Short mmCIF file of all heavy atoms in Angstrom, two decimals:
data_model
loop_
_atom_site.label_atom_id
_atom_site.label_comp_id
_atom_site.label_asym_id
_atom_site.label_seq_id
_atom_site.Cartn_x
_atom_site.Cartn_y
_atom_site.Cartn_z
N ASP A 115 -5.07 -2.50 8.93
CA ASP A 115 -4.82 -2.18 7.49
C ASP A 115 -5.99 -1.34 6.99
O ASP A 115 -7.10 -1.46 7.40
CB ASP A 115 -4.79 -3.48 6.68
CG ASP A 115 -3.43 -4.12 6.67
OD1 ASP A 115 -2.48 -3.53 7.29
OD2 ASP A 115 -3.30 -5.18 6.08
N THR A 116 -5.64 -0.41 6.15
CA THR A 116 -6.57 0.46 5.41
C THR A 116 -6.07 0.49 3.99
O THR A 116 -5.06 -0.12 3.66
CB THR A 116 -6.52 1.92 6.02
OG1 THR A 116 -5.26 2.50 5.62
CG2 THR A 116 -6.65 1.87 7.52
N PRO A 117 -6.70 1.26 3.14
CA PRO A 117 -6.14 1.33 1.77
C PRO A 117 -4.73 2.00 1.78
O PRO A 117 -4.02 1.92 0.81
CB PRO A 117 -7.16 2.26 1.03
CG PRO A 117 -8.39 2.08 1.78
CD PRO A 117 -8.00 1.87 3.18
N TYR A 118 -4.35 2.66 2.90
CA TYR A 118 -3.12 3.43 3.03
C TYR A 118 -2.01 2.61 3.72
O TYR A 118 -0.90 3.04 3.72
CB TYR A 118 -3.30 4.69 3.76
CG TYR A 118 -4.61 5.40 3.38
CD1 TYR A 118 -5.57 5.63 4.29
CD2 TYR A 118 -4.77 5.92 2.08
CE1 TYR A 118 -6.77 6.30 3.93
CE2 TYR A 118 -5.92 6.58 1.72
CZ TYR A 118 -6.90 6.77 2.71
OH TYR A 118 -8.02 7.37 2.33
N ILE A 119 -2.36 1.50 4.33
CA ILE A 119 -1.45 0.75 5.14
C ILE A 119 -1.54 -0.72 4.78
O ILE A 119 -2.59 -1.26 4.77
CB ILE A 119 -1.72 0.85 6.65
CG1 ILE A 119 -1.66 2.32 7.09
CG2 ILE A 119 -0.71 0.07 7.47
CD1 ILE A 119 -2.16 2.57 8.52
N LYS A 120 -0.39 -1.30 4.42
CA LYS A 120 -0.39 -2.77 4.02
C LYS A 120 0.52 -3.51 4.93
O LYS A 120 1.62 -3.13 5.20
CB LYS A 120 0.08 -2.90 2.59
CG LYS A 120 -0.82 -2.24 1.57
CD LYS A 120 -2.16 -2.87 1.51
CE LYS A 120 -3.03 -2.19 0.46
NZ LYS A 120 -4.44 -2.40 0.63
N THR A 121 0.02 -4.66 5.43
CA THR A 121 0.82 -5.53 6.30
C THR A 121 1.24 -6.80 5.53
O THR A 121 0.42 -7.37 4.82
CB THR A 121 -0.02 -5.97 7.53
OG1 THR A 121 -0.39 -4.78 8.24
CG2 THR A 121 0.82 -6.90 8.43
N GLU A 122 2.45 -7.13 5.64
CA GLU A 122 3.02 -8.39 5.02
C GLU A 122 3.51 -9.26 6.20
O GLU A 122 4.39 -8.87 6.93
CB GLU A 122 4.21 -8.07 4.07
CG GLU A 122 3.77 -7.31 2.85
CD GLU A 122 2.97 -8.14 1.88
OE1 GLU A 122 3.11 -9.38 1.82
OE2 GLU A 122 2.15 -7.51 1.17
N VAL A 123 2.95 -10.47 6.29
CA VAL A 123 3.35 -11.39 7.38
C VAL A 123 4.35 -12.32 6.76
O VAL A 123 4.18 -12.83 5.62
CB VAL A 123 2.14 -12.15 7.91
CG1 VAL A 123 2.56 -13.23 8.92
CG2 VAL A 123 1.10 -11.24 8.51
N GLY A 124 5.45 -12.58 7.50
CA GLY A 124 6.50 -13.44 7.06
C GLY A 124 7.83 -12.82 7.37
O GLY A 124 7.88 -11.63 7.70
N GLN A 125 8.87 -13.61 7.28
CA GLN A 125 10.21 -13.11 7.60
C GLN A 125 10.60 -11.84 6.78
O GLN A 125 10.39 -11.83 5.58
CB GLN A 125 11.27 -14.19 7.34
CG GLN A 125 12.64 -13.67 7.74
CD GLN A 125 13.45 -14.68 8.45
OE1 GLN A 125 12.96 -15.75 8.76
NE2 GLN A 125 14.67 -14.33 8.80
N THR A 126 11.08 -10.84 7.49
CA THR A 126 11.46 -9.63 6.84
C THR A 126 12.96 -9.59 6.67
O THR A 126 13.70 -10.44 7.24
CB THR A 126 11.12 -8.40 7.73
OG1 THR A 126 11.87 -8.42 8.91
CG2 THR A 126 9.61 -8.39 8.08
N PRO A 127 13.54 -8.71 5.86
CA PRO A 127 14.99 -8.67 5.63
C PRO A 127 15.78 -8.49 6.93
O PRO A 127 16.93 -9.00 6.98
CB PRO A 127 15.18 -7.42 4.74
CG PRO A 127 13.89 -7.32 3.99
CD PRO A 127 12.83 -7.73 4.94
N SER A 128 15.25 -7.90 7.94
CA SER A 128 15.96 -7.72 9.22
C SER A 128 15.65 -8.81 10.22
O SER A 128 15.99 -8.71 11.41
CB SER A 128 15.63 -6.35 9.80
OG SER A 128 16.05 -5.32 8.95
N GLY A 129 14.98 -9.86 9.77
CA GLY A 129 14.67 -11.00 10.70
C GLY A 129 13.38 -10.80 11.46
O GLY A 129 13.16 -11.58 12.40
N GLY A 130 12.57 -9.89 11.09
CA GLY A 130 11.30 -9.67 11.80
C GLY A 130 10.22 -10.68 11.34
O GLY A 130 10.42 -11.50 10.42
N ALA A 131 9.07 -10.61 12.00
CA ALA A 131 7.98 -11.54 11.74
C ALA A 131 6.95 -10.93 10.73
O ALA A 131 6.24 -11.66 10.11
CB ALA A 131 7.28 -11.87 13.07
N PHE A 132 6.91 -9.59 10.69
CA PHE A 132 6.01 -8.93 9.77
C PHE A 132 6.45 -7.51 9.50
O PHE A 132 7.25 -6.97 10.24
CB PHE A 132 4.54 -9.02 10.21
CG PHE A 132 4.24 -8.22 11.40
CD1 PHE A 132 3.71 -6.94 11.36
CD2 PHE A 132 4.47 -8.75 12.70
CE1 PHE A 132 3.40 -6.19 12.51
CE2 PHE A 132 4.17 -8.04 13.82
CZ PHE A 132 3.62 -6.76 13.75
N SER A 133 5.91 -6.94 8.45
CA SER A 133 6.24 -5.52 8.16
C SER A 133 4.97 -4.84 7.77
O SER A 133 3.96 -5.44 7.40
CB SER A 133 7.26 -5.40 7.03
OG SER A 133 6.72 -5.95 5.82
N ARG A 134 5.02 -3.47 7.90
CA ARG A 134 3.87 -2.63 7.54
C ARG A 134 4.40 -1.49 6.66
O ARG A 134 5.38 -0.87 6.94
CB ARG A 134 3.15 -2.03 8.77
CG ARG A 134 2.82 -3.17 9.76
CD ARG A 134 1.81 -2.78 10.72
NE ARG A 134 0.56 -2.75 10.02
CZ ARG A 134 -0.46 -2.05 10.45
NH1 ARG A 134 -0.36 -1.37 11.51
NH2 ARG A 134 -1.58 -2.07 9.78
N ALA A 135 3.71 -1.22 5.57
CA ALA A 135 4.05 -0.15 4.65
C ALA A 135 2.97 0.94 4.78
O ALA A 135 1.78 0.66 4.69
CB ALA A 135 4.17 -0.63 3.26
N PHE A 136 3.47 2.18 5.00
CA PHE A 136 2.57 3.34 5.15
C PHE A 136 2.77 4.23 3.97
O PHE A 136 3.93 4.62 3.69
CB PHE A 136 2.87 4.11 6.43
CG PHE A 136 2.69 3.30 7.68
CD1 PHE A 136 3.70 2.44 8.10
CD2 PHE A 136 1.53 3.37 8.41
CE1 PHE A 136 3.58 1.63 9.22
CE2 PHE A 136 1.37 2.61 9.56
CZ PHE A 136 2.43 1.76 9.97
N TYR A 137 1.79 4.53 3.19
CA TYR A 137 1.92 5.29 1.92
C TYR A 137 1.38 6.71 2.06
O TYR A 137 0.36 6.98 2.69
CB TYR A 137 1.11 4.59 0.79
CG TYR A 137 1.63 3.19 0.57
CD1 TYR A 137 1.01 2.10 1.15
CD2 TYR A 137 2.75 2.98 -0.26
CE1 TYR A 137 1.51 0.81 0.94
CE2 TYR A 137 3.21 1.69 -0.52
CZ TYR A 137 2.59 0.59 0.10
OH TYR A 137 3.08 -0.66 -0.12
N TYR A 138 2.18 7.67 1.43
CA TYR A 138 1.81 9.09 1.51
C TYR A 138 1.96 9.79 0.19
O TYR A 138 2.86 9.46 -0.60
CB TYR A 138 2.76 9.80 2.54
CG TYR A 138 2.66 9.25 3.93
CD1 TYR A 138 3.50 8.21 4.35
CD2 TYR A 138 1.67 9.67 4.79
CE1 TYR A 138 3.39 7.66 5.60
CE2 TYR A 138 1.54 9.14 6.07
CZ TYR A 138 2.46 8.13 6.47
OH TYR A 138 2.31 7.59 7.71
N ASP A 139 1.11 10.77 -0.04
CA ASP A 139 1.21 11.55 -1.29
C ASP A 139 2.18 12.66 -1.15
O ASP A 139 2.89 12.76 -0.13
CB ASP A 139 -0.16 12.00 -1.77
CG ASP A 139 -0.79 13.08 -0.81
OD1 ASP A 139 -0.11 13.60 0.01
OD2 ASP A 139 -2.00 13.34 -0.97
N LYS A 140 2.28 13.56 -2.16
CA LYS A 140 3.26 14.62 -2.18
C LYS A 140 3.06 15.59 -1.01
O LYS A 140 4.03 16.29 -0.61
CB LYS A 140 3.24 15.38 -3.48
CG LYS A 140 1.95 16.11 -3.80
CD LYS A 140 2.05 16.83 -5.14
CE LYS A 140 0.80 17.53 -5.51
NZ LYS A 140 0.36 18.64 -4.67
N ASP A 141 1.85 15.68 -0.44
CA ASP A 141 1.53 16.57 0.67
C ASP A 141 1.63 15.87 2.01
O ASP A 141 1.18 16.34 3.00
CB ASP A 141 0.15 17.20 0.45
CG ASP A 141 0.04 18.05 -0.76
OD1 ASP A 141 0.96 18.78 -1.03
OD2 ASP A 141 -0.95 17.92 -1.47
N ARG A 142 2.18 14.62 2.00
CA ARG A 142 2.36 13.83 3.20
C ARG A 142 1.04 13.41 3.78
O ARG A 142 0.90 13.12 4.97
CB ARG A 142 3.21 14.55 4.28
CG ARG A 142 4.54 14.98 3.75
CD ARG A 142 5.52 14.01 3.44
NE ARG A 142 5.77 13.18 4.67
CZ ARG A 142 6.30 11.98 4.67
NH1 ARG A 142 6.63 11.45 3.52
NH2 ARG A 142 6.54 11.30 5.73
N LYS A 143 0.04 13.23 2.92
CA LYS A 143 -1.27 12.77 3.39
C LYS A 143 -1.36 11.28 3.00
O LYS A 143 -0.86 10.89 1.94
CB LYS A 143 -2.44 13.48 2.74
CG LYS A 143 -2.51 14.97 3.17
CD LYS A 143 -3.62 15.66 2.50
CE LYS A 143 -3.62 17.13 2.93
NZ LYS A 143 -4.55 17.90 2.16
N PRO A 144 -1.96 10.40 3.85
CA PRO A 144 -2.08 8.99 3.49
C PRO A 144 -2.77 8.81 2.19
O PRO A 144 -3.74 9.58 1.83
CB PRO A 144 -2.92 8.43 4.63
CG PRO A 144 -2.71 9.36 5.78
CD PRO A 144 -2.59 10.72 5.17
N CYS A 145 -2.37 7.85 1.42
CA CYS A 145 -2.96 7.60 0.07
C CYS A 145 -2.79 6.12 -0.25
O CYS A 145 -2.04 5.43 0.40
CB CYS A 145 -2.34 8.50 -0.98
SG CYS A 145 -0.63 8.14 -1.36
N VAL A 146 -3.48 5.76 -1.31
CA VAL A 146 -3.30 4.36 -1.82
C VAL A 146 -1.92 4.25 -2.45
O VAL A 146 -1.36 5.20 -2.97
CB VAL A 146 -4.43 3.98 -2.83
CG1 VAL A 146 -5.76 3.97 -2.15
CG2 VAL A 146 -4.43 4.97 -4.00
N PRO A 147 -1.37 3.00 -2.45
CA PRO A 147 0.02 2.81 -3.00
C PRO A 147 0.19 3.31 -4.41
O PRO A 147 1.27 3.88 -4.74
CB PRO A 147 0.22 1.30 -2.93
CG PRO A 147 -0.69 0.86 -1.86
CD PRO A 147 -1.88 1.81 -1.86
N GLU A 148 -0.79 3.21 -5.23
CA GLU A 148 -0.68 3.63 -6.64
C GLU A 148 -0.49 5.14 -6.81
O GLU A 148 0.04 5.61 -7.83
CB GLU A 148 -1.92 3.19 -7.45
CG GLU A 148 -2.14 1.72 -7.51
CD GLU A 148 -2.74 1.10 -6.27
OE1 GLU A 148 -3.36 1.84 -5.44
OE2 GLU A 148 -2.60 -0.11 -6.07
N GLU A 149 -0.87 5.94 -5.81
CA GLU A 149 -0.73 7.36 -5.88
C GLU A 149 0.36 7.89 -4.95
O GLU A 149 0.60 9.07 -4.86
CB GLU A 149 -2.05 8.05 -5.45
CG GLU A 149 -3.21 7.69 -6.37
CD GLU A 149 -4.53 8.15 -5.84
OE1 GLU A 149 -4.59 8.84 -4.81
OE2 GLU A 149 -5.57 7.88 -6.52
N ALA A 150 1.10 6.99 -4.31
CA ALA A 150 2.13 7.35 -3.30
C ALA A 150 3.35 7.96 -3.92
O ALA A 150 3.81 7.56 -5.00
CB ALA A 150 2.50 6.16 -2.44
N ILE A 151 3.88 8.92 -3.23
CA ILE A 151 5.21 9.48 -3.52
C ILE A 151 6.21 9.00 -2.49
O ILE A 151 7.32 8.75 -2.82
CB ILE A 151 5.17 11.05 -3.49
CG1 ILE A 151 4.18 11.54 -4.55
CG2 ILE A 151 6.53 11.63 -3.72
CD1 ILE A 151 4.53 11.26 -5.96
#
Side-chain angles (χ1 to χ4, degrees):
D115 276 359
T116 71
Y118 319 115
I119 303 171
K120 298 293 181 200
T121 301
E122 294 289 331
V123 177
Q125 180 137 358
T126 67
S128 297
F132 67 98
S133 64
R134 307 200 73 205
F136 301 82
Y137 299 96
Y138 300 93
D139 67 15
K140 65 180 177 65
D141 297 318
R142 305 291 301 160
K143 294 180 182 170
C145 68
V146 295
E148 297 79 20
E149 299 172 4
I151 300 295

